[in-house]
Each structure stands twice: as structure tokens, then as C-alpha cells.
Amino acid sequence: MSLPVRCLVLFVVSSVCTIGGPVRAQQKPAPAVPEKTIAIRAGHLIDGKSDKALDNVLIVIKGDTIVSVAPNGTPPAGIEIIDLSKATILPGFIDTHTHVLLNGDITAEDYDKQLLKDSIPYRAILGARNARIALENGFTSIRDLETEGAMYADVDVKKAIANGEVPGPRMQVATRAMTPTGMYPLLGYSWELKVPTGVQYADGVDGARKAVREQIMYGADWIKYYSDRKYHFEADGVLHSMVNFTDEEAKAIVDETHRLGKKVAAHAIGSDGIAAALRAGVDTIEHGDGLTESEMDEMVKRGVYWVPTIIVGAYVAPGRGGNWTKMVDLEKAAFQKAANKGVKIALGTDAGGFDWKEINAAREFQYYADYGMSPIQAIRTGTSVAAELLGWQEKLGTVEPGKWADLVAVSGDPLKDITELQRVKFVMKAGVVYKNDIH
Ligand SMILES: [Zn+2]
């Protein structure tokens, strides 16, 4: 009922109601935000554009949108003022690789247990809790990259947040992800048992196209597929892998997804899996530990984003053993080369691969700085670059007039100490304050 009303109002006010209107309205934060005007006094502002922080800035917000950002500005008379004059404000963080339906999977048992013992409704309840944790840590938008056997429950978590029923970041979701038959858990159970699978199995060109159509029908904003598995080092020192889909199948996934106006994320860890994903024409490479220099050059040329998810590799390595520790070191070297070559690196953590309650995903910023980025570069991976990856750069990623009022604040100076980003004290999403521990 609300969509036609919203549509009508928009039409009267600004004539922007088009056939695409209701779809876009779903993406917008739906909580009924009163169109009141408030102002924030920011001691310092890292606006996401400038290399330096600006001092003593007044940010004026109307409804869910920033209307002005003025150094030494004076607030309009009679409006509510939030005093953050002792804090540093930044754009809301964006995590471009999460799993709200997952709660840590260092071992196969951790993973199987969740799919076998927890119902999808129970997992969705935890998903809502995880979304709240993300928001409280400063992540006002996330791209959730598959439900790990929880079917389309990410669409429901997104809907509950968008309708204002539970607090959480605005979401883009990938629903079920896909591999060919037998190339993703749960595996190893008796053939007499019907066990759930962590992805949708899709085989052949027609099967791949149909799976894409089905997932988009049920609400996928992105299509994700697993390009490879079985990661191993060979004598050339390169991390190799076994490629899952034939080139024809992978190209069909990408072609069908693009034809329907969506984008594709490929899980690709070994150099073979990355090469196959690039041949298929994907939009983002997830993990990418085994990136070679020629693959980096290809990504620069085609504008493909890399989402490194360093935090999860470092977290699972001790528990998984094998090649995983060596892969963390390899990825560090790849990160430094890719950053120098100008690969578009967007912050993503794989939260859910580690327990949401144990680790603050903003730790990922610290890895990027430790790996050689300046603090401002690291901040951009999780703000303006990530906003571009989502296609929301007109509305997110920087603090500027016309953008959604998604802001976080910290007490210290993150340009001097990047770990400040793990101590977010204030969170605003779409003009609504969800956390304010600044006194
Ligand atoms: Zn993941």
C-alpha cells in the first residue's frame, strides 16, 4: 500500500515517479523519517573526498539527506543540534562482502552444523542480529554475498530492515550463489540422505541461465558464483585452483545477469579461478589471494573490483592449517602490487565466515593500512570506492549535499590511528541516529 502513496507524493513534488520508481523505493531506507531538519557540529570531518580532515564543520540534514556541509557554519534557528564537536565524523562504512546468515565456519563441522541443525527461520533471526551488529560497528550499507543454504532469507532480512522493523544497514543481496553439481558443501553424506546445499547447483548453459533468472525473480541484486575450489601451490610459486564451471557456463551466468541489469561477483581464490572469472566478464573478484600481475593488469583495464577479505583469511588460517597461512602471506604481497597498479580495491570482510560477535569487521581497514595504504586510502576502500561498486555513488560514500545522511563518528583521529575505526561511537543512517556514545 505504501508504494503507490510514496509514488504519488514523489510525482506531485518532483515528477520523479517513473516505472522504475517503486523498485528504487525498495532500496531506499523505508523507516518513516520525518522531514525535520537537524544539524551536526563536527569537530573534524573526513568527507571522503579531501585528503585531509576539515575542522569545525556544520552538517545540516533534512529528512534522510544531507543538505549542506559548511566549515564554521551557523545552524538555522530553532533546529535540533547534535554536538559532535569533540569527534571526527566520516561517511558511513560499507562492507561489500558479508554473510549475515552465517556465524563462523573455520571448520567443515562449524559449517555443516549450521545447515543441518539450525532452521532457516532461526538463522534469519540471527541474521537480523548480525545486521544490527554491523550497523553498530558503523557499517550503514552492506553487500551480502549469499545465504549459505538459507535460501532467500537475505531478501527477508533486507526487507525487515528497509521496512524499519529491525535496525540494520541497507543491503544489496546475492541470495543463493551457485556452483555446478557437487562442487560446494554439504558433501560427504550418505547418498540416501537429502541434505541441504550451501549454494544452488546449476549445470549447463541453460541451467545457468535459469538459475540466474530464478534468483533475480526472488530478489537477488547480485549474482554470485564460485569460480574455483581446491587451492594449491605448484612449483611456479603461484596459487592454483580447480575451476568449477566450464567457460561456456560461466559466460552464460554473466551474460544473463548483465542482460537482466544486475552484476556478478565471483568467488575466486586461485589464479586459475581468477583467470576463468575474468574471461567470463565478472564485475568483482572476491578474495583473490592468488592474483597474478597479469590478472591485476586485466582488472585495471576492465575496471573490475577486487574485494580482498583479508580479515577472514587471517582468522581461519590457524584453524584450517594447510596452505591457508601461506595464502595470507601471498595475499599481502598481491595487495601491495595491486594497490600500486591502481586496481580498484573495495573493502569486504566475509563477516559470517568469522563470528559476528567475536570480531569487529572494521578491523579490515587496519589490515589495508598495515599492508601499505595510507589511512585515507584505506578509508576510501570502505566508503567512496565501495559505494561505486554498489552503484550507489550518487547517494553514498562521501559527506556532501544531496547524499544520504549516513555518518559515523569516532573520538580520536583515524588519519593518525586507523584502529579508531574499530571504536565507532556514533552511527546515523538516513538521518536516523542508531547509536550515540559521545558525551
Ligand atoms: Zn564469503
Side-chain angles (χ1 to χ4, degrees):
M1 198 187 89
S2 64
L3 285 180
V5 172
R6 178 194 288 269
C7 217
L8 182 67
V9 171
L10 286 174
F11 187 76
V12 171
V13 174
S14 60
S15 300
V16 294
C17 181
T18 64
I19 289 167
V23 176
R24 251 180 293 142
Q26 279 184 352
Q27 304 276 14
K28 281 196 70 172
V33 180
E35 285 286 300
K36 70 171 184 180
T37 302
I38 57 173
I40 297 179
R41 279 188 208 282
H44 311 280
L45 170 67
I46 296 171
D47 66 4
K49 293 187 301 174
S50 169
D51 286 341
K52 292 198 180 111
L54 310 167
D55 298 329
N56 300 316
V57 178
L58 189 82
I59 303 166
V60 178
I61 294 153
K62 185 156 192 272
D64 62 5
T65 302
I66 298 167
V67 291
S68 70
V69 179
N72 302 310
T74 313
I79 64 163
E80 181 189 334
I81 295 171
I82 300 173
D83 183 11
L84 301 178
S85 56
K86 294 196 174 68
T88 300
I89 295 193
L90 304 103
F93 305 153
I94 302 169
D95 188 340
T96 67
H97 188 133
T98 65
H99 302 276
V100 295
L101 276 306
L102 196 65
N103 293 281
D105 70 334
I106 295 177
T107 65
E109 285 89 60
D110 296 338
Y111 187 81
D112 291 20
K113 207 168 64 183
Q114 292 175 63
L115 273 71
L116 291 169
K117 294 198 167 176
D118 295 340
S119 70
I120 292 176
Y122 180 73
R123 293 180 65 191
I125 291 166
L126 297 190
R129 181 206 61 192
N130 295 339
R132 192 195 72 224
I133 291 172
L135 185 64
E136 286 173 354
N137 286 340
F139 290 90
T140 54
S141 299
I142 60 174
R143 183 180 62 150
D144 203 65
L145 275 188
E146 92 122 321
T147 60
E148 308 287 1
M151 298 299 285
Y152 296 94
D154 53 352
V155 177
D156 297 303
V157 174
K158 171 186 165 176
K159 180 178 166 186
I161 293 168
N163 287 342
E165 304 293 354
V166 293
R170 60 171 71 69
M171 294 173 73
Q172 293 186 0
V173 299
T175 73
R176 303 179 64 192
M178 51 186 91
T179 69
T181 296
M183 297 188 194
Y184 199 81
L186 302 185
L187 296 168
Y189 293 86
S190 159
W191 57 265
E192 292 167 294
L193 294 175
K194 175 90 185 108
V195 293
T197 51
V199 293
Q200 179 172 11
Y201 289 153
D203 298 290
V205 166
D206 290 346
R209 285 192 191 270
K210 185 170 185 228
V212 168
R213 291 172 188 171
E214 200 170 291
Q215 294 188 0
I216 291 175
M217 173 174 73
Y218 289 123
D221 302 303
W222 282 78
I223 295 298
K224 179 188 183 182
Y225 75 87
Y226 286 80
S227 184
D228 65 353
R229 70 192 193 289
K230 294 192 188 294
Y231 323 111
H232 57 280
F233 286 94
E234 289 182 11
D236 58 4
V238 173
L239 183 66
H240 287 275
S241 55
M242 197 172 278
V243 175
N244 290 337
F245 285 107
T246 64
D247 275 7
E248 289 70 28
E249 289 169 325
K251 281 178 183 155
I253 292 171
V254 174
D255 180 65
E256 191 62 24
T257 306
H258 287 167
R259 206 175 67 81
L260 298 178
K262 308 288 184 188
K263 290 185 281 187
V264 182
H267 163 113
I269 289 186
S271 59
D272 308 83
I274 297 165
L278 293 175
R279 283 199 301 277
V282 303
D283 302 282
T284 69
I285 295 286
E286 308 301 313
H287 316 300
D289 307 47
L291 267 173
T292 63
E293 294 207 36
S294 62
E295 288 167 347
M296 294 173 196
D297 294 338
E298 185 74 14
M299 289 173 74
V300 172
K301 204 167 88 192
R302 296 220 219 140
V304 177
Y305 292 84
W306 180 25
V307 181
T309 70
I310 305 229
I311 192 171
V312 76
Y315 175 73
V316 301
R320 288 189 183 170
N323 283 329
W324 286 88
T325 307
K326 215 171 148 191
M327 282 160 58
V328 173
D329 296 338
L330 183 78
E331 190 170 25
K332 180 177 182 177
F335 186 95
Q336 289 162 344
K337 281 187 203 140
N340 284 337
K341 280 177 180 287
V343 174
K344 292 198 272 190
I345 299 176
L347 181 137
T349 65
D350 217 358
F354 54 87
D355 191 330
W356 288 86
K357 290 185 295 183
E358 269 182 47
I359 296 178
N360 182 336
R363 172 78 174 83
E364 186 82 9
F365 286 108
Q366 190 186 341
Y367 277 110
Y368 297 173
D370 289 347
Y371 283 10
M373 277 188 169
S374 67
I376 193 72
Q377 284 174 320
I379 289 167
R380 286 197 184 114
T381 65
T383 54
S384 56
V385 179
E388 254 178 55
L389 179 151
L390 297 179
W392 281 347
Q393 64 274 16
E394 301 300 319
K395 285 294 181 183
L396 286 179
T398 57
V399 181
E400 293 181 82
K403 295 214 168 175
W404 285 326
D406 280 22
L407 305 169
V408 300
V410 296
S411 296
D413 180 359
L415 298 182
K416 292 206 177 79
D417 176 8
I418 196 84
T419 69
E420 275 297 330
L421 303 182
Q422 293 161 57
R423 294 183 290 278
V424 163
K425 303 273 175 56
F426 172 91
V427 179
M428 170 183 276
K429 188 189 86 176
V432 177
V433 176
Y434 287 89
K435 177 179 186 176
N436 189 358
D437 296 336
I438 289 187
H439 305 292

